[in-house]
Amino acid sequence: MTTVAALAATPLRAAFVRAAAAIGVFAALASLFFVSIGQPPATMFVEIARAAAGSGYAVGESLVRATPIMLCALATLVPARLGLVSVGADGQLYAGAIVGTGALLAWPLAPGPVLLSAVLVGGAIGGALWALGPALLRAFVPVHETISTLMLNWVAAMLVTWLVHGAWRNPASQGWPASIEFPDTARLPVLGDSRVHAGLALALVLAVVLHAVLTRTRSGLVLDVLRDNPRLQAVTGCAVAPRIVATMLVGGAFAGLAGIVETSVVQGRLQSDLANGAGLAGFLVAWLAGNRVPQTVALALLVGAVLAAGDGLQIATAVPSSATLVVQGLMFVALLAVGGASARWRGVGHGRG
Amino acid sequence: MAPVELRLNGLCKRFRDVVAVHDASLVIRGGEVLALLGENGAGKSTLMRLAYGMVRPDAGHIEIDARRVRFDAPRDAVAAGIGMVFQQFSLIDTLSVRENLALAWPRAPWWLGRDARRPGALDAHLARLVPGVDPRARTGDLAVGVRQQIEIAKVLLREARCVILDEPTAVLTPAEAGALHARVRALARDGFAVVLITHKTADVRACADRVAVMRAGRVVGEAPAADAADARIVEWMVGVAPAPAAARPARAADTPVRLSVRGLCAGPVRDVALDVHAGEIVAVAGVSGSGQVALAEALTGLRPLDAGQVTLDGQALRAPGRPARPVAALAAIPADPRRTAIAPSRSLAVNLALKRLAVQPWRVRRAALEEQARAPIARFDVRPPDPRRPAGTLSGGNLQKLVIARELQGDPTAVVACYPTMGLDVVATAQVRDAMLTLAANGCAVLWFGEDLDDLLAHAHRIVVMFDGRLVADLDAHTATPQQVGVWMSGHAIAPDPLRQAA
């Protein structure tokens, strides 16, 4: 206890101590798991690192996986700054993919920049619209946003399935349920011959802007205050309801953007299951990062790398890729455990009489 | 039952850089009521938490009946016959009284029956200690004073021989406090040791046999209650002789009406009409649950109006359907500011700027906020005076001072203060009271919801009484007696037209 307290004397050092402890706990848990499935842990760690960042290609795949997770984490983070718990990033992602694809289907021959903008803005609007219902229900009824956003996730996923099996199915795809391919004019540019696309840059720019708004402006401060104590709307004159709607819409737009970027650039067409767990991973990332933007971005990149490593691992070793889902779970557990323990050491919840 | 003797010997406790208790020794005997007094933060609660095993001492030890004991957790203290009742009750509101007792009873049978009806001993215990309470009543529906009596019954059910009460009268009305004092005397008569943590000398007069006073973590004075004059106790508590209380400011006749309430209905409040003139202090009294907190909430914007209107200097302030906005001219000091008026994890600087939050420049400069915070922090001696510190870390008294500092920033013309001195120590109480008297002397209209009748009568110009959501009396505070006000508070004196009769 004493040594921990001494080590954690400054915030920066405390952060390093936490990171080191988290890595240590994770390594121990993951080693146990690898031994239990009959794999040498040391080799496995090397393979994971190699599959995640061992080559230009591996780094690229990691970044591709990280992009939608980062956007979905930001989608969770914005409402969370007002104390809302939205778990609807998956549904908003699907809704963004639908409306963005709808923009393509409406004006397939529009000039490039117009079409690309329409597709991207459509994605953002779609995500925001999907968040609007839960936002209004929370602000004015009130129905808890966690339940409503969660339920709407399945509705949006089903809607995509229904569209790609029906009205929007590409007649040339011979039975494969998917929309037409996105033309190059409707796609964000990619970096060289990798699959890394400008969506990542867009997400990073948006993250910087968001961080500035949340930490430097009056709007961000109002969210901090109302999250702390919603009854302060009488003292401050800042109403909670419009801010519930605003944060939910902004969050929805982030997830919608993830959906349309994934659809247009990475998969190239609208099809079922495009979320690939990004919404849930994003929720966990934002939550573990304490709803702070820089930590969220860093953690999203890390989680993206681990997930991408899973795909590589399957090829390089005899381990099924589902094993990396376990590894990812252990990583979350390690982060949670260390976060909780450090809160205890700092004496949170041990009030003085 | 053999009377217990609990000895605390040289106990020390520090929390990081703060020494909470330093070399404190105290003897607690059966058959005796010990009043443990001290300012906020003097260490009295911590000392008793040490005795109850909630906190472990850094040095010193505890003896029970000349046997050295060591408490690692409250359960060890409970096993040794020590019980403690906290300000935050540990009863489960949604359960019945009997179920709550059954939960705490070590000898409860495994099969309790529906609503814990099977063990009849519980009902007998309850009837003896809290007569008149239905054991089937939902605990959350009962008045605070009754719930506190049930807490005590719960502690006694665990065969405690020493009962520690942490600031028990802070949450009670005068009548409830009277009942508590009687209960405490009865316990001592039955051989129990009772420790009453308090900062009110009125509690000492009402029921204590012996007084111990703490200051800055040390026990600085101890005496039989009969030998310790109030002034002496206060001197022990604050370290200097108390200044005489300021007199109420004289009030010029025929000053204009500043705060005007007409036909106000809000939740339990029914059809309240009231005028507060410039320079006037109007006190609002009532037993708890008479609607006075709801009235204060309606006036301070925390509760929407169902009907009626409130004006300040002729300008509409509150009306049904009108969203609450901060008004610089109105200082609103609500009850329980930790829940209603503070953003606990934000800094003092941000909390002091809350009323101006909506009109901050779009780019907030924290350094500027911190600079603006220094003067109000210094004026009301908020401690520690660090503008960056999260407000939630302040003690109750300093939090109250923080809210008052914020609300008095804009040179208000009216003050609505609900229990502004509740939980404050002697010095802070005098500070808050003097601030309100000064405001009134400068022409401010002051509406003061208070719990201490003597205090209200000594400082207000008029006193109005609420009963069952209505204003039932409007008395001249110069001539009214506590007995007179008490009769109105109890609702026994409702006359056809009380307002006119009283005037």
Side-chain angles (χ1 to χ4, degrees):
Chain A
M1 284 277 292
T2 329
T3 46
V4 170
L7 272 173
T10 66
L12 193 65
R13 264 161 70 185
F16 275 120
V17 170
R18 273 208 300 281
I23 291 169
V25 172
F26 167 66
L29 289 173
S31 302
L32 266 176
F33 169 67
F34 290 139
V35 168
S36 76
I37 61 169
Q39 299 288 339
T43 323
M44 290 302 289
F45 283 124
V46 172
E47 286 301 331
I48 288 179
R50 190 173 290 157
S55 65
Y57 171 79
V59 171
E61 286 307 294
S62 294
L63 293 175
V64 169
R65 276 309 280 272
T67 305
I69 293 172
M70 191 184 298
L71 284 166
C72 285
L74 296 176
T76 311
L77 179 150
V78 177
R81 294 295 283 231
L82 191 58
L84 301 170
V85 183
S86 163
V87 290
D90 268 326
Q92 293 150 9
L93 180 150
Y94 283 117
I98 291 172
V99 175
T101 309
L104 169 71
L105 296 174
W107 309 288
L109 300 175
V114 176
L115 182 59
L116 181 60
S117 316
V119 164
L120 288 179
V121 172
I125 290 176
L129 280 178
W130 208 251
L132 182 63
L136 294 176
L137 285 172
R138 171 59 199 256
F140 300 107
V141 176
V143 173
H144 204 282
E145 74 283 356
T146 309
I147 306 297
S148 54
T149 52
L150 181 66
M151 294 299 153
L152 282 172
N153 283 346
W154 280 284
V155 178
M158 294 301 172
L159 212 51
V160 169
T161 305
W162 176 69
L163 284 170
V164 298
H165 277 91
W168 287 6
R169 177 195 281 189
N170 180 5
S173 75
Q174 308 203 331
W176 175 250
S179 74
I180 59 166
E181 292 247 345
F182 276 68
D184 285 345
T185 49
R187 293 181 179 214
L188 285 167
V190 294
L191 186 70
D193 58 357
S194 74
R195 295 207 301 151
V196 179
H197 50 80
L200 176 64
L202 185 63
L204 291 173
V205 169
L206 287 173
V208 170
V209 173
L210 184 66
H211 184 58
V213 169
L214 291 176
T215 58
R216 299 280 187 278
T217 69
R218 179 181 64 217
S219 313
L221 184 59
V222 170
L223 293 186
D224 286 340
V225 165
L226 292 178
R227 176 185 67 233
D228 230 19
N229 186 352
R231 299 191 76 180
L232 288 176
Q233 62 176 341
V235 174
T236 58
C238 299
V240 176
R243 288 175 174 82
I244 291 177
V245 176
T247 54
M248 290 288 284
L249 290 188
V250 171
F254 273 101
L257 215 46
I260 194 56
V261 167
E262 195 68 8
T263 300
S264 64
V265 195
V266 179
Q267 309 198 347
R269 56 200 172 171
L270 182 67
Q271 51 194 1
S272 298
D273 296 328
L274 70 108
N276 205 1
L280 181 61
F283 176 84
L284 287 170
V285 163
W287 197 63
L288 285 169
N291 294 312
R292 279 162 299 186
V293 176
Q295 289 90 327
T296 297
V297 169
L299 200 54
L301 291 171
L302 184 63
V303 170
V306 172
L307 287 176
D311 305 336
L313 209 58
Q314 203 175 6
I315 302 162
T317 67
V319 178
S321 80
S322 57
T324 52
L325 277 179
V326 176
V327 172
Q328 187 200 353
L330 293 175
M331 184 171 75
F332 284 136
V333 167
L335 287 166
L336 275 173
V338 171
S342 76
R344 258 196 99 121
W345 286 328
R346 285 198 308 270
V348 176
H350 289 258
R352 191 163 62 82
Chain B
M1 186 181 70
V4 67
E5 188 184 77
L6 176 67
R7 272 178 188 277
L8 313 179
N9 289 324
L11 293 182
C12 296
K13 181 68 198 177
R14 64 163 52 228
F15 295 101
R16 278 185 285 180
D17 49 345
V18 182
V19 177
V21 170
H22 186 80
D23 194 17
S25 299
L26 202 59
V27 184
I28 299 160
R29 294 187 197 93
E32 190 182 70
V33 178
L34 171 69
L36 182 59
L37 289 105
E39 298 271 84
N40 296 333
K44 51 195 193 301
S45 284
T46 304
L47 182 62
M48 286 303 113
R49 277 158 203 250
L50 286 165
Y52 188 55
M54 281 184 81
V55 181
R56 265 182 284 174
D58 300 329
H61 66 275
I62 300 170
E63 286 172 22
I64 292 182
D65 296 334
R67 246 181 333 106
R68 205 161 154 159
V69 291
R70 185 191 137 117
F71 298 150
D72 288 326
R75 66 170 176 275
D76 301 335
V78 168
I82 297 170
M84 190 156 172
V85 175
F86 297 91
Q87 282 184 68
Q88 308 281 328
F89 296 156
S90 62
L91 297 172
I92 298 167
D93 284 351
T94 50
L95 294 185
S96 73
V97 174
R98 198 197 275 135
E99 285 170 327
N100 264 301
L101 290 181
L103 272 179
W105 194 26
R107 286 195 311 225
W110 71 274
W111 175 253
L112 292 170
R114 200 180 144 173
D115 190 27
R117 205 172 300 163
R118 191 164 153 258
L122 288 179
D123 285 6
H125 180 77
L126 192 67
R128 194 163 56 80
L129 283 165
V130 200
V133 169
D134 181 357
R136 290 163 306 176
R138 196 177 156 276
T139 311
D141 295 339
L142 300 171
V144 175
V146 178
R147 273 188 279 162
Q148 190 176 54
Q149 297 273 359
I150 295 167
E151 281 279 356
I152 296 172
K154 196 173 120 178
V155 165
L156 296 182
L157 204 53
R158 292 177 177 159
E159 286 155 23
R161 294 182 295 158
C162 171
V163 181
I164 302 166
L165 306 168
D166 189 6
E167 306 253 4
T169 52
V171 292
L172 300 183
T173 62
E176 288 173 330
L180 177 79
H181 293 144
R183 161 64 49 214
V184 164
R185 286 296 345 148
L187 287 175
R189 222 171 23 245
D190 293 343
F192 291 93
V194 183
V195 181
L196 199 73
I197 303 174
T198 182
H199 54 247
K200 293 181 188 169
T201 49
D203 289 335
V204 177
R205 296 293 152 246
C207 65
D209 298 306
R210 201 154 52 89
V211 180
V213 179
M214 291 189 73
R215 185 173 76 237
R218 295 161 193 271
V219 178
V220 291
E222 234 186 303
D227 298 347
D230 283 4
R232 177 102 180 279
I233 293 175
V234 172
E235 197 177 332
W236 273 339
M237 279 164 69
V238 299
V240 292
R248 89 187 102 205
R251 194 188 146 226
D254 299 332
T255 50
V257 173
R258 288 223 125 128
L259 187 69
S260 170
V261 182
R262 287 287 170 273
L264 189 149
C265 298
V269 178
R270 285 181 288 164
D271 199 21
V272 163
L274 180 67
D275 283 331
V276 187
H277 299 79
E280 188 181 33
I281 300 175
V282 176
V284 183
V287 294
S288 70
S290 298
Q292 64 273 52
V293 173
L295 176 59
E297 284 177 345
L299 294 176
T300 52
L302 285 166
R303 181 186 278 271
L305 268 59
D306 299 328
Q309 200 190 7
V310 183
T311 57
L312 176 59
D313 290 326
Q315 305 280 314
L317 182 68
R318 312 268 179 237
R322 185 189 161 94
R325 287 200 189 83
V327 178
L330 176 75
I333 302 162
D336 198 359
R338 200 179 283 276
R339 285 200 310 115
T340 55
I342 284 293
S345 64
R346 299 296 112 199
S347 65
L348 300 192
V350 167
N351 273 287
L352 283 167
L354 284 184
K355 276 179 92 170
R356 293 173 280 121
L357 188 61
V359 294
Q360 290 291 319
W362 74 271
R363 191 176 158 202
V364 176
R365 292 180 191 282
R366 303 210 173 220
L369 288 182
E370 281 159 20
E371 207 42 56
Q372 291 161 16
R374 290 191 193 281
I377 286 174
R379 181 175 163 206
F380 283 91
D381 189 28
V382 179
R383 284 186 212 180
D386 174 6
R388 294 187 184 179
R389 195 182 174 88
T393 63
L394 295 186
S395 71
N398 282 299
L399 199 93
Q400 187 86 28
K401 289 194 274 183
L402 180 74
V403 172
I404 291 169
R406 174 179 78 214
E407 296 296 326
L408 298 190
Q409 264 175 333
D411 291 325
T413 60
V415 179
V416 175
C418 195
Y419 305 132
T421 59
M422 190 180 254
L424 294 195
D425 54 38
V426 180
V427 173
T429 298
Q431 240 170 354
V432 169
R433 197 187 49 218
D434 290 350
M436 294 210 294
L437 298 182
T438 310
L439 283 165
N442 294 336
C444 199
V446 177
L447 190 61
W448 180 357
F449 295 73
E451 78 265 47
D452 186 336
L453 263 190
D454 296 326
D455 226 26
L456 294 181
L457 287 170
H459 296 104
H461 299 107
R462 267 198 299 150
I463 183 162
V464 298
V465 181
M466 283 193 82
F467 180 77
D468 200 16
R470 296 173 192 278
L471 281 192
V472 292
D474 186 340
L475 312 166
D476 185 337
H478 300 83
T479 55
T481 63
Q483 290 72 24
Q484 217 178 344
V485 178
V487 170
W488 286 108
M489 284 167 73
S490 64
H492 292 314
I494 295 180
D497 192 353
L499 289 179
R500 185 174 313 155
Q501 180 198 326

PDB file of all heavy atoms in Angstrom, chain A residues 6-20:
ATOM      1  N   ALA A   6       3.294   5.853  -2.740  1.00  0.00           N
ATOM      2  CA  ALA A   6       4.471   6.666  -3.050  1.00  0.00           C
ATOM      3  C   ALA A   6       4.682   6.743  -4.558  1.00  0.00           C
ATOM      4  O   ALA A   6       4.987   7.797  -5.104  1.00  0.00           O
ATOM      5  CB  ALA A   6       5.703   6.065  -2.369  1.00  0.00           C
ATOM      6  N   LEU A   7       4.488   5.591  -5.217  1.00  0.00           N
ATOM      7  CA  LEU A   7       4.675   5.558  -6.663  1.00  0.00           C
ATOM      8  C   LEU A   7       3.684   6.477  -7.369  1.00  0.00           C
ATOM      9  O   LEU A   7       4.006   7.113  -8.356  1.00  0.00           O
ATOM     10  CB  LEU A   7       4.484   4.125  -7.174  1.00  0.00           C
ATOM     11  CG  LEU A   7       5.719   3.236  -7.170  1.00  0.00           C
ATOM     12  CD1 LEU A   7       5.326   1.825  -7.532  1.00  0.00           C
ATOM     13  CD2 LEU A   7       6.750   3.777  -8.143  1.00  0.00           C
ATOM     14  N   ALA A   8       2.463   6.496  -6.853  1.00  0.00           N
ATOM     15  CA  ALA A   8       1.399   7.226  -7.523  1.00  0.00           C
ATOM     16  C   ALA A   8       1.338   8.671  -7.057  1.00  0.00           C
ATOM     17  O   ALA A   8       0.287   9.264  -6.965  1.00  0.00           O
ATOM     18  CB  ALA A   8       0.068   6.528  -7.280  1.00  0.00           C
ATOM     19  N   ALA A   9       2.517   9.239  -6.745  1.00  0.00           N
ATOM     20  CA  ALA A   9       2.523  10.559  -6.137  1.00  0.00           C
ATOM     21  C   ALA A   9       2.081  11.651  -7.106  1.00  0.00           C
ATOM     22  O   ALA A   9       1.444  12.603  -6.706  1.00  0.00           O
ATOM     23  CB  ALA A   9       3.911  10.874  -5.594  1.00  0.00           C
ATOM     24  N   THR A  10       2.418  11.522  -8.366  1.00  0.00           N
ATOM     25  CA  THR A  10       2.012  12.547  -9.322  1.00  0.00           C
ATOM     26  C   THR A  10       1.016  11.941 -10.304  1.00  0.00           C
ATOM     27  O   THR A  10       1.036  10.730 -10.543  1.00  0.00           O
ATOM     28  CB  THR A  10       3.230  13.075 -10.100  1.00  0.00           C
ATOM     29  OG1 THR A  10       3.717  11.996 -10.907  1.00  0.00           O
ATOM     30  CG2 THR A  10       4.329  13.543  -9.187  1.00  0.00           C
ATOM     31  N   PRO A  11       0.153  12.759 -10.887  1.00  0.00           N
ATOM     32  CA  PRO A  11      -0.863  12.214 -11.803  1.00  0.00           C
ATOM     33  C   PRO A  11      -0.250  11.444 -12.960  1.00  0.00           C
ATOM     34  O   PRO A  11      -0.713  10.356 -13.310  1.00  0.00           O
ATOM     35  CB  PRO A  11      -1.586  13.464 -12.306  1.00  0.00           C
ATOM     36  CG  PRO A  11      -1.345  14.512 -11.285  1.00  0.00           C
ATOM     37  CD  PRO A  11      -0.021  14.193 -10.671  1.00  0.00           C
ATOM     38  N   LEU A  12       0.853  11.995 -13.536  1.00  0.00           N
ATOM     39  CA  LEU A  12       1.455  11.348 -14.690  1.00  0.00           C
ATOM     40  C   LEU A  12       2.017   9.996 -14.292  1.00  0.00           C
ATOM     41  O   LEU A  12       1.791   8.978 -14.960  1.00  0.00           O
ATOM     42  CB  LEU A  12       2.555  12.236 -15.278  1.00  0.00           C
ATOM     43  CG  LEU A  12       3.037  11.805 -16.658  1.00  0.00           C
ATOM     44  CD1 LEU A  12       1.918  11.931 -17.679  1.00  0.00           C
ATOM     45  CD2 LEU A  12       4.235  12.644 -17.091  1.00  0.00           C
ATOM     46  N   ARG A  13       2.751   9.982 -13.156  1.00  0.00           N
ATOM     47  CA  ARG A  13       3.316   8.715 -12.700  1.00  0.00           C
ATOM     48  C   ARG A  13       2.213   7.738 -12.335  1.00  0.00           C
ATOM     49  O   ARG A  13       2.312   6.542 -12.584  1.00  0.00           O
ATOM     50  CB  ARG A  13       4.246   8.953 -11.529  1.00  0.00           C
ATOM     51  CG  ARG A  13       5.694   9.044 -12.006  1.00  0.00           C
ATOM     52  CD  ARG A  13       6.565   9.708 -11.008  1.00  0.00           C
ATOM     53  NE  ARG A  13       6.786   8.893  -9.822  1.00  0.00           N
ATOM     54  CZ  ARG A  13       7.454   9.342  -8.761  1.00  0.00           C
ATOM     55  NH1 ARG A  13       7.912  10.581  -8.755  1.00  0.00           N
ATOM     56  NH2 ARG A  13       7.646   8.584  -7.727  1.00  0.00           N
ATOM     57  N   ALA A  14       1.146   8.273 -11.757  1.00  0.00           N
ATOM     58  CA  ALA A  14       0.021   7.409 -11.412  1.00  0.00           C
ATOM     59  C   ALA A  14      -0.527   6.733 -12.668  1.00  0.00           C
ATOM     60  O   ALA A  14      -0.841   5.544 -12.652  1.00  0.00           O
ATOM     61  CB  ALA A  14      -1.069   8.223 -10.723  1.00  0.00           C
ATOM     62  N   ALA A  15      -0.608   7.499 -13.756  1.00  0.00           N
ATOM     63  CA  ALA A  15      -1.121   6.937 -14.998  1.00  0.00           C
ATOM     64  C   ALA A  15      -0.199   5.820 -15.495  1.00  0.00           C
ATOM     65  O   ALA A  15      -0.666   4.769 -15.944  1.00  0.00           O
ATOM     66  CB  ALA A  15      -1.249   8.030 -16.054  1.00  0.00           C
ATOM     67  N   PHE A  16       1.111   6.056 -15.390  1.00  0.00           N
ATOM     68  CA  PHE A  16       2.062   5.023 -15.819  1.00  0.00           C
ATOM     69  C   PHE A  16       1.943   3.776 -14.956  1.00  0.00           C
ATOM     70  O   PHE A  16       1.959   2.656 -15.453  1.00  0.00           O
ATOM     71  CB  PHE A  16       3.493   5.570 -15.768  1.00  0.00           C
ATOM     72  CG  PHE A  16       3.871   6.321 -17.006  1.00  0.00           C
ATOM     73  CD1 PHE A  16       4.244   7.656 -16.944  1.00  0.00           C
ATOM     74  CD2 PHE A  16       3.860   5.683 -18.247  1.00  0.00           C
ATOM     75  CE1 PHE A  16       4.582   8.354 -18.085  1.00  0.00           C
ATOM     76  CE2 PHE A  16       4.198   6.376 -19.396  1.00  0.00           C
ATOM     77  CZ  PHE A  16       4.565   7.712 -19.309  1.00  0.00           C
ATOM     78  N   VAL A  17       1.829   3.998 -13.658  1.00  0.00           N
ATOM     79  CA  VAL A  17       1.696   2.854 -12.752  1.00  0.00           C
ATOM     80  C   VAL A  17       0.455   2.057 -13.108  1.00  0.00           C
ATOM     81  O   VAL A  17       0.470   0.828 -13.176  1.00  0.00           O
ATOM     82  CB  VAL A  17       1.633   3.337 -11.283  1.00  0.00           C
ATOM     83  CG1 VAL A  17       1.243   2.190 -10.357  1.00  0.00           C
ATOM     84  CG2 VAL A  17       2.962   3.931 -10.864  1.00  0.00           C
ATOM     85  N   ARG A  18      -0.629   2.777 -13.390  1.00  0.00           N
ATOM     86  CA  ARG A  18      -1.877   2.089 -13.745  1.00  0.00           C
ATOM     87  C   ARG A  18      -1.708   1.294 -15.030  1.00  0.00           C
ATOM     88  O   ARG A  18      -2.131   0.143 -15.126  1.00  0.00           O
ATOM     89  CB  ARG A  18      -3.014   3.106 -13.912  1.00  0.00           C
ATOM     90  CG  ARG A  18      -3.724   3.430 -12.631  1.00  0.00           C
ATOM     91  CD  ARG A  18      -5.159   3.846 -12.889  1.00  0.00           C
ATOM     92  NE  ARG A  18      -5.260   5.017 -13.730  1.00  0.00           N
ATOM     93  CZ  ARG A  18      -5.077   6.269 -13.297  1.00  0.00           C
ATOM     94  NH1 ARG A  18      -4.777   6.472 -12.032  1.00  0.00           N
ATOM     95  NH2 ARG A  18      -5.183   7.283 -14.107  1.00  0.00           N
ATOM     96  N   ALA A  19      -1.082   1.929 -16.024  1.00  0.00           N
ATOM     97  CA  ALA A  19      -0.902   1.254 -17.302  1.00  0.00           C
ATOM     98  C   ALA A  19      -0.059  -0.005 -17.115  1.00  0.00           C
ATOM     99  O   ALA A  19      -0.392  -1.085 -17.626  1.00  0.00           O
ATOM    100  CB  ALA A  19      -0.251   2.201 -18.303  1.00  0.00           C
ATOM    101  N   ALA A  20       1.036   0.126 -16.353  1.00  0.00           N
ATOM    102  CA  ALA A  20       1.918  -1.021 -16.134  1.00  0.00           C
ATOM    103  C   ALA A  20       1.164  -2.125 -15.399  1.00  0.00           C
ATOM    104  O   ALA A  20       1.261  -3.314 -15.759  1.00  0.00           O
ATOM    105  CB  ALA A  20       3.147  -0.587 -15.329  1.00  0.00           C
TER     106      ALA A  20
END
